[in-house]
Amino acid sequence: MTTLFYILGYLAVAGFICMAYLKIRSYMASSPLHVRWELYPVPHEGSKTVYGGSFMEEKDWWTKPRHISHWGDIKALLTEVLFLHATFEHNLKLWVRSYPFHVGMYMLMGGTIIVLCAVFAQLFGLNPQGGFMIFVGNIINAVVLVGTLCIIIGGIGLIERRRNDEGLRRYSTPEHYFNLVIFIVFGLLGLAAWAFSPSYFELARTFIYNLITFNFAPQTSVLFSLHLLIGFFLLIWIPMTHMGHVFMKYFTYHDIRWGDEPTSSSDKNKAKILEALKFNVTWSAKHIAGDGTPKSWVDVATTNPTEKKED
């Protein structure tokens, strides 16, 4: 059973990476070219962002090189991810519940990265019982306490909001409630493991160390083992649900809002448009001069719908 437990850990990590990759790849392959809605400001416009300007306001802009402020994109992305800025501005009641939930997840994810770094430091010779490792352990134990509490409180708050808000209740599915409940259980088990173990950090560090070194030693805490099992499940489950926005948000939100690359300077966009123009259209509407016979969008684009046909 101990070996199986570690195998589940490997499968969970590999499964998350593979499924996230496949989901991103599938989306990129099947999504059409975005239709630019002229939504401004765009963060990468640099100084023009202040007043909602665009490079297209410059005379003969297509003859000039573009200057893109990637720092502007990064800053706007981090503001949204770390603080849920849009939710705060447009739905404060939801933000009060959603933000603690997200902060809790960020803290546990960040804590996991720190523990992973500590394990590599141990592999390279750092004393696992030394002062620095003890300091890191104290930080992680505090992070886990606050993080699990945030997930529990935020998750319960989000369930309450979905049940009592008419707008949200109308669009809430059993999956939404299940996702929140499983995260709450994950948080509760993590909190219990923290409370009934001498050091959560030691449990986590030992497990990751064993995972990396293929040392399938038995777990010393049942609560921590259950906490990990729920974590394994979440790694596999998240990419299959709407909570996959943890890695899909850039593609389905930011890229759509900010993707303003001119077609004239993008061979990729040109290829997509040429491919789309070959699609068949069978509409019979007058504004596309349709007569019910199959035609391509090229035919539609090169036909004058007001031109009278010769008898």
Side-chain angles (χ1 to χ4, degrees):
M1 289 299 292
T2 299
T3 302
L4 176 61
F5 184 84
Y6 283 94
I7 290 175
L8 289 175
Y10 293 125
L11 291 176
V13 174
F16 176 82
I17 294 173
C18 291
M19 294 184 70
Y21 168 75
L22 290 174
K23 190 164 187 175
I24 293 173
R25 181 182 177 184
S26 174
Y27 172 81
M28 297 296 289
S30 61
S31 62
L33 188 66
H34 307 316
V35 177
R36 181 70 182 149
W37 282 14
E38 300 298 319
L39 298 176
Y40 292 96
V42 177
H44 56 237
E45 286 289 359
S47 59
K48 294 183 176 66
T49 303
V50 178
Y51 61 90
S54 166
F55 67 95
M56 293 184 181
E57 69 193 45
E58 298 179 11
K59 183 180 179 182
D60 299 331
W61 59 264
W62 57 90
T63 64
K64 303 175 183 178
R66 285 194 66 189
H67 301 287
I68 299 176
S69 172
H70 294 293
W71 170 241
D73 276 344
I74 293 172
K75 185 168 64 174
L77 186 63
L78 289 176
T79 300
E80 179 60 33
V81 170
L82 296 179
F83 302 105
L84 306 186
H85 180 67
T87 307
F88 177 81
E89 282 194 332
H90 303 293
N91 196 335
L92 185 59
K93 290 182 179 179
L94 179 62
W95 182 87
V96 170
R97 296 160 174 82
S98 183
Y99 190 61
F101 182 79
H102 283 78
V103 167
M105 289 194 292
Y106 295 158
M107 294 185 78
L108 293 191
M109 287 189 290
T112 301
I113 293 172
I114 294 174
V115 174
L116 186 61
C117 292
V119 168
F120 278 109
Q122 180 181 344
L123 289 171
F124 283 100
L126 185 67
N127 182 5
Q129 304 303 325
F132 179 75
M133 199 70 84
I134 293 174
F135 170 75
V136 173
N138 290 333
I139 296 295
I140 294 300
N141 288 332
V143 165
V144 170
L145 173 61
V146 177
T148 53
L149 285 174
C150 283
I151 288 177
I152 295 167
I153 294 170
I156 293 173
L158 286 171
I159 291 176
E160 176 271 332
R161 184 65 178 167
R162 284 189 176 275
R163 287 177 58 85
N164 297 321
D165 182 89
E166 184 178 351
L168 276 177
R169 186 171 65 247
R170 186 177 303 168
Y171 297 103
S172 294
T173 66
E175 179 190 304
H176 291 128
Y177 292 110
F178 175 79
N179 290 343
L180 291 171
V181 168
I182 201 68
F183 267 103
I184 292 171
V185 172
F186 176 71
L188 286 170
L189 287 171
L191 183 61
W194 176 91
F196 294 101
S197 301
S199 172
Y200 183 98
F201 170 71
E202 286 298 324
L203 292 173
R205 182 177 61 82
T206 301
F207 171 73
I208 295 178
Y209 181 87
N210 291 340
L211 203 65
I212 292 175
T213 59
F214 301 100
N215 176 29
F216 301 155
Q219 296 298 306
T220 58
S221 169
V222 175
L223 290 171
F224 183 71
S225 298
L226 293 173
H227 175 61
L228 286 180
L229 285 174
I230 297 296
F232 297 161
F233 171 77
L234 285 172
L235 283 175
I236 297 296
W237 179 248
I238 285 174
M240 297 189 291
T241 71
H242 74 282
M243 284 194 167
H245 69 263
V246 67
F247 55 83
M248 288 295 296
K249 188 172 183 179
Y250 172 79
F251 303 100
T252 59
Y253 180 73
H254 296 287
D255 185 45
I256 293 175
R257 291 185 66 188
W258 303 339
D260 62 347
E261 184 177 19
T263 301
S264 59
S265 60
S266 172
D267 292 335
K268 181 180 178 181
N269 287 354
K270 289 179 183 178
K272 280 193 172 184
I273 290 176
L274 288 175
E275 182 182 359
L277 286 172
K278 297 176 184 177
F279 294 160
N280 289 331
V281 183
T282 57
W283 301 345
S284 58
K286 291 183 179 180
H287 67 281
I288 60 171
D291 54 10
T293 59
K295 59 176 64 177
S296 70
W297 282 106
V298 172
D299 298 325
V300 172
T302 56
T303 301
N304 183 358
T306 63
E307 184 180 28
K308 294 183 178 180
K309 295 182 179 180
E310 296 182 0
D311 295 332

